[in-house]
Amino acid sequence: MKVKAILLAAALMAAALFSGCSSQPAAQNSAASGASKASVAASSEESTASQASTQESTPESSAEVSQESEAVSSQPTGQPVDTSWFNDALFIGDSVTLKLSYYSDTGAVGDAMFLCAGSLGYNNCLWDIDREDNVHPVYEGVKYTIFDGAKMLAPKKILIMLGMNDIGLYGVDGAAEAMQEVLDKLKESCPEATIYVESVTPMLENMQLTDLNNTTIPQFNEKAKAIAEEKGCIWLNVASAMEDGSGNLVYDYCGDPDAMGLHFSDTGCAVWVDYLKNHVQ
């Protein structure tokens, strides 16, 4: 599938999703047309329970611990946190996290807050709020940069998952460089908050692109983990819970297998939340 065709499909999907979900309490991107220009991975996935699998088992997940870093990489404690743990947490992300914001209506992450938008990445979240083609998230009808939004919401915990929209456009190094600036600015905006950096998750095996694929994503995650630890953040290897054993997204966890092949179904969101509950402590 050519990139132009994917961009067209992404724009159509984003327009359909945002027009049908305007009543959702979570933050949403109001510039769907700008989103399609910003990145190949710009679409907000369909939020539909019919795509969810009834599979009962979830894959084992793990997080590495850096012995040399000042940061503590998260690992299972043996006792998962309750959903109330998320009540003072803010999720920041792109269209992948946007799906989680819809899934949060089930109560899976308590009263968590969301600042997310289709096409959002480490690079464009640094853009000025007045830039015409910005893709900053909207919270309760007002557009914010993630830094101003986080400062306004004053969370105790921030869980950020970005990078999918950066890798194909700026390369692994360009995405990692912007990530460092974003984490510094987040720490300035919310100095009392604990920041959790979530890894970028894989794509379906048959939906990989030339620059964004299941080779470049792990390459970015390796750099992202080192940056997170250097900045004193907690690394969450969410990708480890979503992989099929060969580095690809598990098919049943995918909510758009015929489109982008990288957003989650309800089943995928359930696995994601389960991973977080067992690794955030």
Side-chain angles (χ1 to χ4, degrees):
M1 179 181 296
K2 295 183 178 297
V3 171
K4 289 185 179 179
I6 295 174
L7 280 168
L8 179 58
L12 292 173
M13 288 174 62
L17 177 60
F18 285 110
S19 64
C21 298
S22 60
S23 63
Q24 293 290 346
Q28 301 183 27
N29 179 20
S30 63
S33 60
S36 63
K37 299 177 184 178
S39 170
V40 169
S43 71
S44 300
E45 75 283 31
E46 300 174 10
S47 175
T48 170
S50 64
Q51 293 174 313
S53 166
T54 56
Q55 180 178 349
E56 296 181 356
S57 61
T58 59
E60 295 182 355
S61 57
S62 62
E64 298 177 358
V65 178
S66 172
Q67 299 295 330
E68 299 178 355
S69 172
E70 294 180 359
V72 178
S73 295
S74 185
Q75 61 180 343
T77 62
Q79 183 64 40
V81 299
D82 186 77
T83 56
S84 62
W85 185 91
F86 297 96
N87 288 348
D88 56 4
L90 170 65
F91 284 87
I92 296 175
D94 52 30
S95 56
V96 175
T97 304
L98 189 63
K99 164 62 183 181
L100 184 65
S101 73
Y102 300 146
Y103 181 76
S104 71
D105 285 346
T106 64
V109 288
D111 295 325
M113 300 167 283
F114 290 85
L115 283 173
C116 45
S119 300
L120 193 64
Y122 281 118
N123 281 270
N124 60 24
C125 76
L126 293 166
W127 292 355
D128 190 85
I129 193 71
D130 296 324
R131 179 165 167 164
E132 184 177 352
D133 59 345
N134 80 78
V135 292
H136 297 306
V138 174
Y139 188 87
E140 294 186 348
V142 180
K143 182 170 284 193
Y144 296 91
T145 66
I146 64 170
F147 314 109
D148 290 341
K151 185 175 182 179
M152 181 263 299
L153 294 170
K156 297 296 184 183
K157 306 137 185 170
I158 297 175
L159 295 92
I160 182 169
M161 180 189 284
L162 292 173
M164 181 74 79
N165 294 313
D166 298 280
I167 297 170
L169 291 172
Y170 304 97
V172 170
D173 290 337
E177 182 177 352
M179 176 187 172
Q180 297 187 58
E181 184 175 353
V182 168
L183 292 184
D184 286 341
K185 294 192 69 172
L186 268 183
K187 290 169 74 72
E188 291 176 4
S189 297
C190 299
E192 302 300 320
T194 301
I195 299 177
Y196 298 78
V197 179
E198 301 177 271
S199 64
V200 175
T201 48
M203 309 169 67
L204 291 182
E205 183 177 14
N206 65 327
M207 299 301 288
Q208 300 176 74
L209 305 172
T210 301
D211 298 314
L212 176 65
N213 51 60
N214 292 335
T215 296
T216 55
I217 289 173
Q219 289 173 352
F220 170 74
N221 283 338
E222 183 178 356
K223 290 182 177 290
K225 178 178 184 293
I227 292 170
E229 293 179 341
E230 178 186 351
K231 300 293 184 182
C233 304
I234 297 176
W235 174 251
L236 294 170
N237 189 16
V238 179
S240 67
M242 314 308 293
E243 296 173 353
D244 63 1
S246 299
N248 307 305
L249 179 61
V250 174
Y251 187 86
D252 286 342
Y253 299 169
C254 183
D256 59 348
D258 299 320
M260 303 297 291
L262 52 83
H263 300 99
F264 296 150
S265 63
D266 284 354
T267 298
C269 286
V271 174
W272 182 359
V273 172
D274 182 67
Y275 175 89
L276 294 179
K277 286 182 175 180
N278 283 280
H279 290 76
V280 291
Q281 288 286 60

